[in-house]
Amino acid sequence: LNPQRLEDFLERFRTFQDPTIPPFMYGSHYSTSAGVVLHFLVRLHPFANLHRQLQSGHFDVADRLFSSVPRTWDMCTGSSAAEVKELTPEWYLNPAFLRNANQFKLGT
């Protein structure tokens, strides 16, 4: 985390007040887990088809697809508090998700 991003998350934690929800730093939710999985695994079956189902039968626009590790790192460690993603197990055991071996038309 860069210092400003960390401070923003800590401030959210310190100032959040809700009678039923405990304070939190990261505002992602389990309901977004499928989206993160599809984001990272869009180049593999069956995830490509599931991704297209969520996007009205097409791949999302190229700018919103996972395209590189450095770009994702910059987005998740940059200034946007909205961009938080957990790594899927494939990051540790299946590098095939990084290649477009199925030659999907993912844009440029």
Side-chain angles (χ1 to χ4, degrees), residues 35-52:
V36 171
V37 170
L38 296 179
H39 175 75
F40 286 135
L41 305 184
V42 68
R43 291 163 179 78
L44 300 176
H45 288 296
F47 306 103
N49 290 335
L50 295 170
H51 174 92
R52 285 187 291 230

Side-chain angles (χ1 to χ4, degrees), residues 36-89:
V36 171
V37 170
L38 296 179
H39 175 75
F40 286 135
L41 305 184
V42 68
R43 291 163 179 78
L44 300 176
H45 288 296
F47 306 103
N49 290 335
L50 295 170
H51 174 92
R52 285 187 291 230
Q53 286 177 5
L54 291 175
Q55 299 294 330
S56 302
H58 305 281
F59 286 111
D60 200 355
V61 296
D63 289 348
R64 291 194 297 236
L65 294 175
F66 171 65
S67 59
S68 79
V69 174
R71 179 174 176 258
T72 300
W73 174 261
D74 289 343
M75 290 172 57
C76 290
T77 60
S79 60
S80 173
E83 191 66 44
V84 293
K85 288 183 172 53
E86 294 183 39
L87 300 181
T88 62

